[in-house]
Amino acid sequence: MATIKDIARECGVSANTVSSVLNNKPGEVSAQTRERVLAAVRRLGYRPNAAARRMVGKRMNTIGIADRFIENTQPNAYKAQILEPLTHAARTLRWDVLYYAGHVTGGGFTAFLDGRSDGLISFTGWIDPIEVNAILASSTPVVFIGDTESDQAEHRASIIDVDNEAGAYLGVSHLTGLGHRRIGMLQGPGISGNRDRVAGFRRAMREAGVADNDAYPYPSTDWTLSGYYTAIEVLRLPRSERPTALFCFNDALALSVLHAAAELGISVPDELSVVGFDDLIPSALSSPPLTTVRQPLADIGRRAVEILVAIMDGDLPRDYREIVAPDLIVRSSTAAPAL
Amino acid sequence: MATIKDIARECGVSANTVSSVLNNKPGEVSAQTRERVLAAVRRLGYRPNAAARRMVGKRMNTIGIADRFIENTQPNAYKAQILEPLTHAARTLRWDVLYYAGHVTGGGFTAFLDGRSDGLISFTGWIDPIEVNAILASSTPVVFIGDTESDQAEHRASIIDVDNEAGAYLGVSHLTGLGHRRIGMLQGPGISGNRDRVAGFRRAMREAGVADNDAYPYPSTDWTLSGYYTAIEVLRLPRSERPTALFCFNDALALSVLHAAAELGISVPDELSVVGFDDLIPSALSSPPLTTVRQPLADIGRRAVEILVAIMDGDLPRDYREIVAPDLIVRSSTAAPAL
DNA sequence: CTGAAAGCGCTTACAG
DNA sequence: CTGAAAGCGCTTACAG
């Protein structure tokens, strides 16, 4: 690869003249020299070395997306729906995007806190709290998507998240409004947001005058296999005992419930109402189409970039947070309970 | 961030002693000094600067995934199904993965050919040939997933791809074997593989003694909207003229056809047989479940990493290529034509 | 076993 | 308008 010295030699100028041309320093280089340098740059296919630029304190102009690949083969619609608008926003603001997927061992993506990117956007729910703290300790500007369990993040990082409590309240109120009384909640794993969604669930139940029955928030460790098995277990209860409606931590879980219900010959929404959370694209096409609490995922992705850039530019405080409002999308997986 | 000098000062040794400890130089540092250095590293949360290491000619131990985000909100199952095993393989071999998504303007991801990663894996079908050539010119080791239109790549890069001709032949032979005569092919956009799939289509038709009718390979520019509209157009033909079977460039297109058929009230497979290509996860769940030509996407992702690493280690030539065999997966979207 | 020096490719004051 | 020098954080011969 050609270096700045090669260009300089080629043009009979010094390296810093080349640098001035490349960095568009105003009025420092004559138009003639400038042209000569640019021609040589094209001719030799010169490309400034990113590592060297970073060394002298320049930005990489790169945003890192910190994530951890999950060992499943299901494309994750939730992330995809955030990632696309996020990347688009970065492009618009002229920032490059680097998607980091580190080793599960060896500190995961925290290995990337080494100057390769200027700031980070992190999918909190997928990040180990230890790694969250490592990010914070590195003092890399960061925006978390989704609330974090880390107390430290509370004051030292920016967070964008949907109003989880309000969203759950919306979804469960829809069910109580339909006349449901026995409502179960399939909880998510211990990732951010679950606690608040459980709180919203309880508030809606309370306001509807339903006894705050501890039995119904079923625990669940994830939304692939164990979610499905939990659903099967719940749905195998005799009809007089089983909930007439299930509020699910997310759409993936709700889709598992639909699947489980179909297998057990339980008709949705006639015998069981199901409400999800997220509004993934596939949820509109399920059988039946899913009633769900929509997160404005595209807005979240876009805003994450805008906030991070603003923080790096010093236009927003490092602990800036933004909570976006959810919507209820009523489709065909919910109905009044059968008598 | 702490630097190597900070550690050195902290321990009362020189910077190169610290470096020796960090790089595990055998028998160069006393066990005692070593411990002292390591303790300081932990205490100060020191992390070697990647840019500086790269500067002195060390590897980043990073594989770049070159891609271009497409402006649609559909999560791309094809890529996801390759990416997950690819990342997993990289992890196993102790390489980090960086997913590059550049600006559409400004040279796309070629901006990343600046020393940030040691080698590249590129989704050929999504890359502009100009960018392909830029990658080649940079002399960065690269493995292309899918054949490229660039003649230069033929001799200067490694390629892993499914046998597109054989796959199409498999899919279309299945249709002719069922008794179909009027078979249309919905072509893909001008990306790699389409030409070979058309060739396989024609060979199967020829071998079945069907006249090589030019009318049937319908052109299509992409598999989202225009694929759907092409399908609608074809299916609106009077039944006596329209194909009894459609072989599609990929599953995404085939799913559009299923959608279009459902809208027009055309029953699949009774009135129309449909065959896809890829075998995406959603294809097993469509209505009806899709008959398709399976690409071993997981193998492709895994092998891409293994090949790239072997090339970087000098164990495989830079133009190494590997062609993997496709399978026919028969589900319920194909049947004998109605009389 | 440990240290001083040079150099990787770039940019930034600072002279001229 | 152009050039010489210093320095970013690291590693690698090379002395001692």
Side-chain angles (χ1 to χ4, degrees), chain A residues 252-269:
Chain A
L253 205 45
L255 263 18
S256 287
V257 170
L258 256 27
H259 206 71
E263 271 180 31
L264 297 175
I266 295 174
S267 158
V268 175

Side-chain angles (χ1 to χ4, degrees), chain B residues 256-273:
Chain B
S256 286
V257 170
L258 256 27
H259 206 70
E263 269 180 33
L264 296 176
I266 296 175
S267 158
V268 175
D270 301 335
E271 300 172 68
L272 177 76
S273 284

Side-chain angles (χ1 to χ4, degrees), chain B residues 14 16 27-28 30 33 55-56:
Chain B
S14 69
N16 45 3
E28 294 219 353
S30 69
T33 307
M55 286 279 290
V56 293

